[in-house]
Amino acid sequence: MPFALNFVHPVLMWGLLGLMLYSGYLGLKASQIRKVGPEERKAMLPLQYGQRHGRLGLVILAVTLLGAAGGMGATFLKNGKLILGPHLFVGLAVVVLVGATASLAPSLQKGKDWARGLHVALNGSVLLLFGWQALSGVAIVQKLLTAAQTPAAL
């Protein structure tokens, strides 16, 4: 496997973390629309925070699934096996939680408060776990770079 392919997954995942944070911002702005006065609401509605948040959620779901599969595929191609450890298991938990939060979309569109609360809680968990994933991934990338500099790797 070409050495540069080792970095597609980490770069994609850091981009995904940025998308998740931006989506959280859009979701927060969408929730504020329900709490402001009529004049402020009138100014905020054309910005379509809720619609943009929903569309970005679909992109996040797709990139999460592709990124997880790509990371496992790259690991398998490099090592001939998956490395069972916290990074893999937390990554799989993130995939499950992102899928679970996406499954709430129909209830969210119907304005169900229970779904909104669960959506926020699940996505808060996703951000915590995914933040840890980003940091543990940096350590993995550092190992790859160190291994590439040793004479045995050349």
Side-chain angles (χ1 to χ4, degrees):
M1 178 170 85
F3 183 69
L5 285 180
N6 289 312
F7 304 102
V8 172
H9 174 76
V11 168
L12 183 67
M13 295 296 98
W14 275 94
L16 179 59
L17 181 58
L19 284 177
M20 287 178 172
L21 291 170
Y22 180 61
S23 181
Y25 166 78
L26 292 174
L28 180 65
K29 295 301 273 184
S31 72
Q32 287 176 346
I33 290 174
R34 291 187 299 277
K35 301 170 188 166
V36 298
E39 284 302 311
E40 234 180 315
R41 182 178 295 123
K42 189 176 178 182
M44 291 174 80
L45 282 175
L47 299 171
Q48 298 184 337
Y49 291 119
Q51 294 86 341
R52 290 164 47 203
H53 174 73
R55 286 191 303 265
L56 190 53
L58 294 173
V59 172
I60 288 170
L61 175 62
V63 174
T64 300
L65 294 171
L66 293 171
M72 289 186 291
T75 300
F76 188 82
L77 287 173
K78 180 170 177 35
N79 301 301
K81 64 179 182 174
L82 287 179
I83 298 172
L84 302 180
H87 191 80
L88 174 66
F89 294 124
V90 171
L92 291 174
V94 166
V95 169
V96 169
L97 291 174
V98 168
T101 197
S103 74
L104 294 171
S107 296
L108 290 167
Q109 290 168 348
K110 292 177 184 173
K112 305 288 185 183
D113 285 334
W114 67 265
R116 188 171 292 118
L118 186 55
H119 179 75
V120 170
L122 287 173
N123 283 319
S125 300
V126 165
L127 281 175
L128 286 173
L129 291 171
F130 203 65
W132 181 87
Q133 281 294 93
L135 296 176
S136 68
V138 168
I140 294 168
V141 168
Q142 288 174 333
K143 286 180 187 176
L144 288 170
L145 293 172
T146 301
Q149 294 174 351
T150 61
L154 298 175

